[in-house]
Amino acid sequence: LVEPVRVSNEYAGFLQGSAEALDTARKTVTVRAALPDEDGRRRRFLVPYDTLVVAVGEQAATFGVPGVEEHAFFLKELSDARRLRRRVAELFETAALPGTSEKDRRRLLSFVVVGGGPTGVEFCGTLSDTLREDFKRAYPGLMHYVSVTLLQSAQSVLTAFAAALQKRALGALQTSGIETRLGVRVVEVTATEVVLKTGERLPCGLCVWSTGNAARPFVRDLVEQIPQQKELNAKASAAGKKIAVDPYCRVVGAEDGVALGDCASSALAGGPFLPATAQVAGQQGAYVGRMLSRGFAFGPGGLDQPPPIRALSESARLAALRPPPPLDLDRLAGRKGGLT
């Protein structure tokens, strides 16, 4: 479902790197290259902008649980999906080797998913279907060792949705043979076990961590350097930081800054709450794209600020791309009042 960005949009320039810092006064972004040079170091460089669009999403929230970063698998990036797929195949191949004990086979083929939100529930269903439909044909003698367990700290799954939908999702999981354990809290993840607060240790070959989202460092830095962002986040009840945006997706308190998707929140600025879904991000992206392509200047962000204006006509916008002629400083200096 993915394609290279250089192919998908021939009008967009592309630099493969990570945005590390933002200077809103100078309108520059500090970027670190994704690929190292010959000496092994990844170079840093500045990218100037006229309008900044922040659409970095969020990262998985680990809540400081020991071992999660080292041993658990996430569901955020394309690299996570590839790593996860490879790990599942490796577990089946290891379990199929002669000499692997019954106990080890049961542990290797025990899949634990932590988090009963939309991502965790959907992944459990997808994993169960994949194991039954694909892996069953390749490893028929191993299927009675396979188990999928969902761990949820709340007393229901999909707690952000209506009670009827929660009940239906719980029933669907149980019908699929997925063991769903509610009201349990994970306190540690090791290479071979998931440890619960009760002291129970669940052997597993794979632990998938899906307990919610947290702000990326770039977003936290942006919030901290803009006073209005810092103030609005301090008033919010949510633990994570988000970029407060007005109805035009403009960053409150910044000039010519736009934010969209999971990293942004209109509710912080008094607007409606929008769920962290692909549909919301897609619609916001399409809106911002149209505004930029039609020559609108976003200007300062905030509920008390005027709406974006169409700064240039299409012909004027194209003409503005041509460099202006050099100034005749001698002629300007000869004017009355001198050069200013």
Side-chain angles (χ1 to χ4, degrees), residues 117-130:
T119 302
V121 169
E122 183 178 358
F123 177 74
C124 276
T126 302
L127 177 62
S128 179
D129 291 344
T130 302

Side-chain angles (χ1 to χ4, degrees), residues 93-105 108:
E93 288 297 334
T94 303
L97 292 175
T100 304
S101 67
E102 297 280 309
K103 181 180 178 181
D104 285 341
R105 281 177 177 160
L108 288 169

Side-chain angles (χ1 to χ4, degrees), residues 7-238:
V7 176
S8 63
N9 191 338
E10 60 182 305
Y11 300 103
F14 175 70
L15 299 173
Q16 189 174 358
S18 301
E20 293 189 334
L22 171 67
D23 189 329
T24 55
R26 293 184 173 86
K27 287 192 171 184
T28 60
V29 179
T30 301
V31 180
R32 186 179 293 276
L35 303 175
D37 292 331
E38 293 180 354
D39 59 2
R41 291 183 299 178
R42 294 187 297 149
R43 72 180 70 174
R44 299 174 75 214
F45 51 90
L46 289 178
V47 178
Y49 67 86
D50 294 313
T51 299
L52 175 73
V53 180
V54 182
V56 297
E58 292 189 301
Q59 62 186 2
T62 64
F63 302 103
V65 176
V68 173
E69 291 282 357
E70 297 84 359
H71 304 297
F73 286 71
F74 301 100
L75 288 167
K76 270 296 178 187
E77 310 292 343
L78 178 61
S79 58
D80 294 334
R82 289 170 173 160
R83 180 169 169 253
L84 188 59
R85 182 182 182 91
R86 184 171 61 250
R87 178 59 177 167
V88 173
E90 290 172 352
L91 290 171
F92 272 90
E93 288 297 334
T94 303
L97 292 175
T100 304
S101 67
E102 297 280 309
K103 181 180 178 181
D104 285 341
R105 281 177 177 160
R106 201 168 300 279
R107 180 189 64 79
L108 288 169
L109 301 181
S110 295
F111 302 93
V112 176
V113 179
V114 183
T119 302
V121 169
E122 183 178 358
F123 177 74
C124 276
T126 302
L127 177 62
S128 179
D129 291 344
T130 302
L131 295 175
R132 288 200 312 264
E133 296 172 7
D134 298 335
F135 284 84
K136 186 177 181 179
R137 292 195 297 267
Y139 307 94
L142 295 177
M143 296 313 296
H144 63 284
Y145 296 109
V146 174
S147 66
V148 180
T149 303
L150 175 64
L151 305 179
Q152 166 72 329
S153 60
Q155 295 301 322
S156 180
V157 297
L158 302 181
T159 54
F161 295 85
L165 185 56
Q166 295 177 28
K167 184 177 180 181
R168 184 175 178 182
L170 191 58
L173 290 170
Q174 294 169 345
T175 301
S176 299
I178 299 168
E179 181 184 2
T180 306
R181 302 185 58 175
L182 306 175
V184 296
R185 186 172 295 278
V186 175
V187 296
E188 185 182 0
V189 177
T190 72
T192 58
E193 293 177 320
V194 173
V195 184
L196 304 183
K197 189 176 182 179
T198 59
E200 183 181 359
R201 309 179 79 91
L202 304 179
C204 67
L206 174 70
C207 173
V208 176
W209 193 266
S210 178
T211 60
N213 299 326
R216 296 187 184 275
F218 182 81
V219 171
R220 292 199 297 265
D221 292 344
L222 186 152
V223 168
E224 286 298 316
Q225 71 172 279
I226 300 176
Q228 288 176 259
Q229 291 288 331
K230 193 173 181 179
E231 180 183 352
L232 290 172
N233 272 270
K235 293 179 180 178
S237 58

